[in-house]
Amino acid sequence: MKLEEVLYKIGLFVESLTNKTARFLRGILFPSPQKNKSPLLSKFVVKKGFTVHEAISLNLQLSFILYIILNSIIILLKLSVFYLPLLFLLHMLFIRYILGAYSEYLINENNAYKVFYYGISALSFIAFLGYAVLRYRTANALYIYAYIILVVFAVLAFRQYFREKFGRDYTYGVVEEVKGDLIRVFVHDDIAANVKPGFYWLPRVEGVKLGDVVKVLVEPRAFRSSKPVRILEVLQSSHTSTEPKADAE
């Protein structure tokens, strides 16, 4: 093979790699709606009886858990503090990508998910970074304990702010089964109502039918997810094109 042909093929490879890298970075930095793609773990979640909406929430939860674990490892192993902002940047880019690319699959308030995960991630970054810097500059345990207490108050303040701005005592569900005086309702993951996704047996109300979309009252519980307790009203029939679960799937 001639040298010109070798150089030409190398040039084509470099050009292709550059274009793919540019598309990848553009997709991460400036995510656009992915109408024909689903987020990670979607097939697993749908097989369990849930929807893509729950897959998005699961991606965000697992990302945050992994972020906390990696931060903790950096702190425990006393690695360079510069790893913390790098890890924070990667984590925020992932959240931005998930919420930007798959926002159309979110059934409940998209803004609530943004505020919660951006807010709690930023608080975590400040907490870990401040702790690392403080531990490096002083050996006085009182300062460290005081800082930890301050972080706890900051988290509680953010929690109260989120509840006041987005919190509500109701969520939405779809009637999946009617059995005597009880109905089985599928409730989506709802961060504003603090409800876990799943199937709940609730008292039957007059006029409710299989497939109806219903508004469900939830009961707050300390340090636990809220519990659906009863149906407030029937909103619409699931036979229409606006039924949430059908849209998500």
Side-chain angles (χ1 to χ4, degrees), residues 63-114:
S63 173
F64 180 71
I65 292 172
L66 179 61
Y67 174 66
I68 294 297
I69 292 175
L70 293 178
N71 272 296
S72 301
I73 292 174
I74 292 173
I75 295 296
L76 291 174
L77 297 181
K78 297 182 179 181
L79 302 178
S80 173
V81 71
F82 294 105
Y83 286 115
L84 295 176
L86 176 61
L87 184 60
F88 175 66
L89 176 62
L90 294 175
H91 175 63
M92 294 297 276
L93 285 175
F94 180 78
I95 294 177
R96 187 171 186 269
Y97 173 75
I98 291 294
L99 292 175
Y102 305 107
S103 59
E104 294 186 0
Y105 289 102
L106 285 174
I107 297 169
N108 301 307
E109 297 96 331
N110 185 17
N111 198 39
Y113 285 85
K114 287 182 178 180

Side-chain angles (χ1 to χ4, degrees), residues 19-40:
N19 291 334
K20 290 180 180 179
T21 303
R23 286 196 298 269
F24 173 77
L25 292 176
R26 186 165 54 249
I28 295 295
L29 297 175
F30 308 101
S32 57
Q34 302 292 320
K35 296 182 179 180
N36 298 321
K37 293 176 62 178
S38 299
L40 298 173

Side-chain angles (χ1 to χ4, degrees), residues 148-188:
I148 293 175
I149 293 174
L150 181 63
V151 169
V152 171
F153 276 107
V155 172
L156 292 176
F158 174 75
R159 178 175 179 269
Q160 185 61 30
Y161 162 78
F162 184 83
R163 291 180 63 181
E164 291 180 358
K165 187 173 180 62
F166 298 103
R168 43 184 167 77
D169 60 356
Y170 62 89
T171 187
Y172 304 97
V174 180
V175 178
E176 297 287 344
E177 184 179 351
V178 179
K179 190 174 182 180
D181 293 332
L182 296 174
I183 58 173
R184 189 168 178 250
V185 177
F186 174 79
V187 173
H188 293 281

